[in-house]
Amino acid sequence: MERLKPFFHGRPKLLVVDDQPINIRVLHELFRPECDVFMATHGEQALTISRELHPDLILLDVVMPGMDGYEVCRRLKANPETSEIPIIFVTGKSHEDDEATGFELGAVDYIRKPFNALVVRARVINHLRLKLQGDYLRQMALIDGLTSILNRRGFDERFDAARAQAQREQKPLS
């Protein structure tokens, strides 16, 4: 994870979602030294934590009671607040159709259980790096390099959001 430090202002936030405590424990121990690891044991809890925390990456099991991982992914990708969070499915489902479904829903990777810790670690590091580089590029596209304030594109995005909020609340924009 040393290679990630130039991209982070703090430690990366990783959300592990699995209904099996042993799987959560193994992934927590694997990433605890370099990441702030948060845990959820069911879909609704994962959605709530994702909205509040905005993790840098989510490791998500598919097979869970109640809401399965596919539905959690659908909901996260449908919400503008959480749609940019990369999701890696870590699951015992090993059929190619399951993997294809995961990618079609917007996952960035699919890891089959039982997993190799070194492979999971390498994939998580790569996806964290990609996510943070993308965040940096988005920021560069919205901030003027000389003044460090919003450029026209950034202003337009903020203005549209402020106008929509003013309309919802039936208040003046000024």
Side-chain angles (χ1 to χ4, degrees):
M1 288 281 192
E2 290 296 320
R3 297 172 288 180
L4 291 174
K5 285 190 178 178
F7 298 106
F8 284 100
H9 296 292
R11 289 164 49 100
K13 293 180 284 188
L14 183 66
L15 175 60
V16 178
V17 184
D18 200 312
D19 61 323
Q20 299 297 318
I22 187 68
N23 294 331
I24 290 176
R25 190 174 303 122
V26 168
L27 291 167
H28 180 268
E29 289 301 315
L30 186 61
F31 294 107
R32 182 175 49 106
E34 298 90 10
C35 296
D36 290 333
V37 182
F38 300 86
M39 296 152 276
T41 56
H42 57 85
E44 286 297 334
Q45 186 181 27
L47 294 172
T48 301
I49 292 172
S50 295
R51 283 190 302 269
E52 294 171 0
L53 181 67
H54 299 283
D56 295 301
L57 182 69
I58 298 173
L59 299 177
L60 178 61
D61 187 17
V62 173
V63 181
M64 295 185 293
M67 185 185 317
D68 70 3
Y70 293 143
E71 183 59 26
V72 172
C73 185
R74 274 187 203 94
R75 291 186 187 190
L76 288 169
K77 294 303 178 184
N79 183 342
E81 291 180 45
T82 58
S83 64
E84 296 298 319
I85 301 171
I87 297 169
I88 298 176
F89 282 114
V90 182
T91 183
K93 296 187 85 147
S94 60
H95 196 272
E96 289 177 2
D97 291 342
D98 297 316
E99 188 172 352
T101 299
F103 285 120
E104 288 168 3
L105 291 173
V108 296
D109 209 339
Y110 194 96
I111 300 170
R112 293 182 177 120
K113 293 178 189 174
F115 55 80
N116 178 315
L118 295 174
V119 171
V120 171
R121 188 173 177 75
R123 288 182 179 188
V124 166
I125 288 170
N126 285 335
H127 286 294
L128 282 171
R129 184 182 302 114
L130 287 170
K131 195 262 185 199
L132 293 169
Q133 288 172 346
D135 289 350
Y136 180 71
L137 289 173
R138 272 188 291 284
Q139 179 183 349
M140 285 180 52
L142 300 176
I143 304 291
D144 179 75
L146 180 62
T147 63
S148 297
I149 61 173
L150 288 177
N151 61 19
R152 177 59 189 253
R153 183 180 297 124
F155 170 80
D156 288 344
E157 283 186 14
R158 293 271 175 93
F159 179 77
D160 289 342
R163 184 173 44 83
Q165 182 178 359
Q167 285 177 335
R168 280 192 310 272
E169 296 173 1
Q170 296 184 355
K171 293 183 178 178
L173 182 58
S174 58

